């Protein structure tokens, strides 16, 4: 029982460790080299499938009537879009500035939308999954508008018009957001027994996220190990992504605290869709900047593990006081 309790308490760090180690073990066995194309295709299928299942379970637990904007949404959107616009203009007017790639990495970390799994963590921490879900939809729309408008100032892409870029981003994220939501509505109103069965699965979404996290960390380690970026730039990008992670979690909590929703706002601004950030780096900027998403994935998951640890300690203390 103590081993099971240990695994439950440290699910995220264990998932991160297994994800990283699985990459090194797998690539370290030459006999497995012919299976790499199959494994790559399998991961490409599993990641969205796990995210779809997590979101479906989470949306089943959210009352659709609670999905409405609130005041902290506006402040967080302004911070993300405003910081991204400021850095884009800075890079445009100072094209030869030293360390420009670090500025572009920061741009990527700031405009990156909220992780689709953030609602799962927010629920575990005691926040509002409904408000988090609403912000996830709003920030994806904001990114879909801001990236095509401002990235051409830094990296012009004549072949990518605003409409094409907008459609690319929406096509990348919105099917994975809206399809689980529509399915949850169908189940809620047409299949109430099945909906109630889903509601009884208390921690299933969290455990699915742990598996998805292990896969994501494995992909992150692969992108960092295969990167041809010099070590000095990798360290710089790692530091920039860490600074962006700290700033956004802190700012989100400060803003959310003013509206008595620090947990939800902190997760909304700090927990990022890092797979999407890596894709944005490759598609709209340069492969160099894309590793910022990989490093950010490590930082925000370490902080999530710490938050969940603190939450468990607080719940244990309250249980002890009550008894």
């Amino acid at each position: 029982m103590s081993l099971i309790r240990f695994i439950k308490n440290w699910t995220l760090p264990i998932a991160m460790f297994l994800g990283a180690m699985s990459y090194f073990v797998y690539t370290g066995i030459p006999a497995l080299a012919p299976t790499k194309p199959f494994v790559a295709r399998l991961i490409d299928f599993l990641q969205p499938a796990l995210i779809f299942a997590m979101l479906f379970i989470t949306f089943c637990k959210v009352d659709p009537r609670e999905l409405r904007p609130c005041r902290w949404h506006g402040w967080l959107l302004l911070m993300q879009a405003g910081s991204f616009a400021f850095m884009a203009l800075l890079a445009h007017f100072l094209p030869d500035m030293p360390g420009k790639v670090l500025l572009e990495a920061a741009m990527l970390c700031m405009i990156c939308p909220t992780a689709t799994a953030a609602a799962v963590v927010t629920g575990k921490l005691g926040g509002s999954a409904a408000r988090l879900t609403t912000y996830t939809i709003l920030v994806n729309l904001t990114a879909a508008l801001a990236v095509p408008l401002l990235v051409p100032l830094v990296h012009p892409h004549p072949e990518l018009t605003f409409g094409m870029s907008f459609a690319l981003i929406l096509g990348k994220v919105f099917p994975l957001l809206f399809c689980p939501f529509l399915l949850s509505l169908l189940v809620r109103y047409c299949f109430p027994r099945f909906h109630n069965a889903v509601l009884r699965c208390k921690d299933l979404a969290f455990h699915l996220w742990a598996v998805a996290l292990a896969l994501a960390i494995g992909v992150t380690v692969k992108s960092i190990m295969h990167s041809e970026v010099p070590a000095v730039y990798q360290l710089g990008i790692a530091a920039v992504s860490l600074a962006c992670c700290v700033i956004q979690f802190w700012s989100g909590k400060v803003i959310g605290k003013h509206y008595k929703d620090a947990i939800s706002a902190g997760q909304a601004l700090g927990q990022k869709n890092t797979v999407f950030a890596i894709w944005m780096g490759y598609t709209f900027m340069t492969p160099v900047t894309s590793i910022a998403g990989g490093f950010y994935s490590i930082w925000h998951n370490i902080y999530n593990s710490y938050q969940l640890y603190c939450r468990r300690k607080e719940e244990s203390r309250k249980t002890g006081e009550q008894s």
Side-chain angles (χ1 to χ4, degrees):
M1 290 300 292
S2 59
L3 177 61
I4 295 174
R5 190 181 302 112
F6 175 81
I7 294 173
K8 285 183 177 180
N9 288 341
W10 300 100
T11 301
L12 299 192
I14 291 171
M16 293 175 68
F17 174 77
L18 291 177
M21 289 306 298
S22 63
Y23 169 79
F24 291 114
V25 171
Y26 178 73
T27 56
I29 302 176
L32 296 177
T35 67
K36 288 182 180 179
F38 169 76
V39 172
R41 289 194 297 271
L42 180 63
I43 291 174
D44 287 341
F45 168 78
L46 280 178
Q47 279 190 311
L50 287 168
I51 291 172
F52 186 99
M54 282 188 300
L55 288 178
F56 168 70
I57 295 169
T58 302
F59 289 154
C60 280
K61 297 178 181 180
V62 172
D63 188 340
R65 291 170 294 185
E66 295 178 1
L67 296 177
R68 56 180 182 270
C70 61
R71 290 186 178 180
W72 62 258
H73 289 162
W75 288 111
L76 266 57
L77 290 172
L78 181 62
M79 180 178 174
Q80 284 196 249
S83 60
F84 182 70
F86 172 76
M87 288 186 284
L89 292 171
L90 191 63
H92 176 70
F93 288 111
L94 299 172
D96 300 321
M97 66 183 298
K100 184 182 175 184
V101 67
L102 301 181
L103 181 66
E104 293 175 7
M107 290 174 61
L108 202 61
C109 292
M110 295 304 293
I111 196 58
C112 182
T114 306
T116 47
V120 179
V121 184
T122 301
K124 292 287 286 185
L125 292 172
S128 170
R131 290 181 180 177
L132 191 287
T133 301
T134 305
Y135 185 80
T136 303
I137 295 169
L138 293 174
V139 75
N140 274 284
L141 281 172
T142 301
L145 290 169
V147 172
L149 279 174
L150 295 168
V151 166
L153 296 176
V154 185
H155 286 283
H157 291 277
E159 71 280 6
L160 286 177
T161 63
F162 172 81
M164 290 174 62
S165 301
F166 182 78
L168 268 176
I169 296 174
L170 288 187
K172 187 74 176 177
V173 294
F174 267 71
L176 212 53
L177 273 175
F178 278 111
C179 291
F181 177 66
L182 294 176
L183 182 60
S184 71
L185 291 180
L186 177 67
V187 168
R188 177 184 290 268
Y189 295 112
C190 298
F191 304 97
R193 288 186 179 178
F194 181 68
H195 180 257
N196 290 332
V198 173
L199 294 181
R200 288 194 293 271
C201 300
K202 185 180 178 183
D203 290 326
L204 179 58
F206 182 72
H207 294 142
L208 289 174
W209 180 56
V211 178
L213 175 59
L215 291 175
I217 291 297
V219 172
T220 295
V221 172
K222 177 186 175 182
S223 69
I224 293 172
M225 296 300 295
H226 285 247
S227 174
E228 298 179 357
V229 181
V232 65
Y233 276 109
Q234 288 204 34
L235 290 173
I237 292 172
V240 166
S241 63
L242 176 59
C244 290
C245 185
V246 171
I247 289 168
Q248 291 185 98
F249 268 113
W250 178 80
S251 301
K253 287 180 179 294
V254 169
I255 293 170
K257 189 176 181 180
H258 185 72
Y259 296 101
K260 297 180 175 58
D261 202 3
I263 293 172
S264 308
Q267 294 305 122
L269 195 57
Q271 189 173 344
K272 300 291 188 180
N273 186 346
T274 53
V275 174
F276 182 67
I278 294 170
W279 174 80
M280 275 202 303
Y282 273 106
T283 306
F284 298 104
M285 292 186 180
T286 62
V288 176
T289 57
S290 67
I291 66 171
F295 282 117
Y296 198 104
S297 175
I298 296 170
W299 308 137
H300 80 180
N301 282 304
I302 289 174
Y303 183 61
N304 279 337
S305 300
Y306 171 73
Q307 289 189 106
L308 290 168
Y309 166 74
C310 293
R311 178 75 177 178
R312 286 195 305 272
K313 283 190 66 177
E314 183 182 350
E315 289 177 347
S316 298
R317 181 182 59 81
K318 288 181 179 178
T319 302
E321 288 176 354
Q322 290 174 356
S323 60

